[in-house]
Amino acid sequence: MISALPYVRVSTDDRGQDAERQIEVIRPWAAREGVTLLDAVPDEGTSASKTDPFERPAFIEACERARAAGAAALVVECSDRFSRQGAKLDAWAEVELERRYGLRLLRADKPLSDHGSMTAAVTDTIHAESARAWVVGHASKVRSGMAKAKREGKHVGRPPKVLTAAELTLVDELRREGKGW
């Protein structure tokens, strides 16, 4: 029997994403596969397409906690919870996880016996490239939608910030000094 620490990443909390939903997928997988789970480390607000895992403080915390507890692995719900940077960077990160922390990366969307097999390597590669393609396509759609909104005269981006009196004073001071605010 091996032990694993769940790493549950969501990039935003305003679109129905929920770290607990991932745990609800990982728990039955662990029970079926005979994997003992440690307490999960949630990583909320972190993009899998813009940051590699080793630049994420919560991921490092998960690795350190897993190693300190003697766990054999981190477990994620599926590949895109780990990374959306494509097969090459995903593979590099998995090698680094093993090298730096002595941990394997397990995915709860396949049986434990499939991990490390040629079939798993192929499907992991396909999943990683599909996740990266989704990011590229999504970014294109967002840019297209923003351009359309601008053409229609709509405000694009965050709503303007209403500055307090203290902030306005600071802005004036910075401008007098020739600095940006």
Side-chain angles (χ1 to χ4, degrees), residues 154-166:
K154 296 178 184 171
H155 174 77
V156 177
R158 294 189 174 129
K161 173 160 174 39
V162 178
L163 299 177
T164 65

Side-chain angles (χ1 to χ4, degrees), residues 104-178:
R104 293 173 58 198
L105 180 68
L106 303 177
R107 295 166 179 86
D109 61 352
K110 64 182 168 211
L112 186 59
S113 59
D114 285 359
H115 286 78
S117 70
M118 182 179 73
T119 303
V122 171
T123 58
D124 290 347
T125 299
I126 291 168
H127 288 165
E129 288 304 313
S130 295
R132 187 167 63 97
W134 179 89
V135 167
V136 170
H138 181 69
S140 175
K141 291 171 192 164
V142 168
R143 283 191 303 275
S144 172
M146 290 173 71
K148 180 179 182 283
K150 280 184 180 180
R151 283 192 307 272
E152 294 171 355
K154 296 178 184 171
H155 174 77
V156 177
R158 294 189 174 129
K161 173 160 174 39
V162 178
L163 299 177
T164 65
E167 290 169 330
L168 288 169
T169 302
L170 178 59
V171 168
D172 288 340
E173 205 175 290
L174 291 170
R175 285 184 175 159
R176 278 194 303 277
E177 295 172 11

Side-chain angles (χ1 to χ4, degrees), residues 38-129:
L38 303 172
D39 289 336
V41 172
D43 190 354
E44 296 177 342
T46 303
S47 169
S49 61
K50 296 176 183 163
T51 56
D52 81 56
F54 295 98
E55 293 174 355
R56 303 179 202 152
F59 181 77
I60 299 300
E61 177 190 344
C63 293
E64 290 172 354
R65 283 182 42 198
R67 182 172 59 186
L74 293 183
V75 60
V76 294
E77 176 194 14
C78 57
S79 295
D80 73 351
R81 298 297 90 203
F82 177 61
S83 175
R84 287 185 176 167
Q85 295 184 327
K88 288 181 182 179
L89 290 174
D90 284 12
W92 167 84
E94 267 194 79
V95 169
E96 281 299 295
L97 179 62
E98 179 88 30
R99 188 182 71 76
R100 294 182 192 188
Y101 296 99
L103 299 169
R104 293 173 58 198
L105 180 68
L106 303 177
R107 295 166 179 86
D109 61 352
K110 64 182 168 211
L112 186 59
S113 59
D114 285 359
H115 286 78
S117 70
M118 182 179 73
T119 303
V122 171
T123 58
D124 290 347
T125 299
I126 291 168
H127 288 165
E129 288 304 313

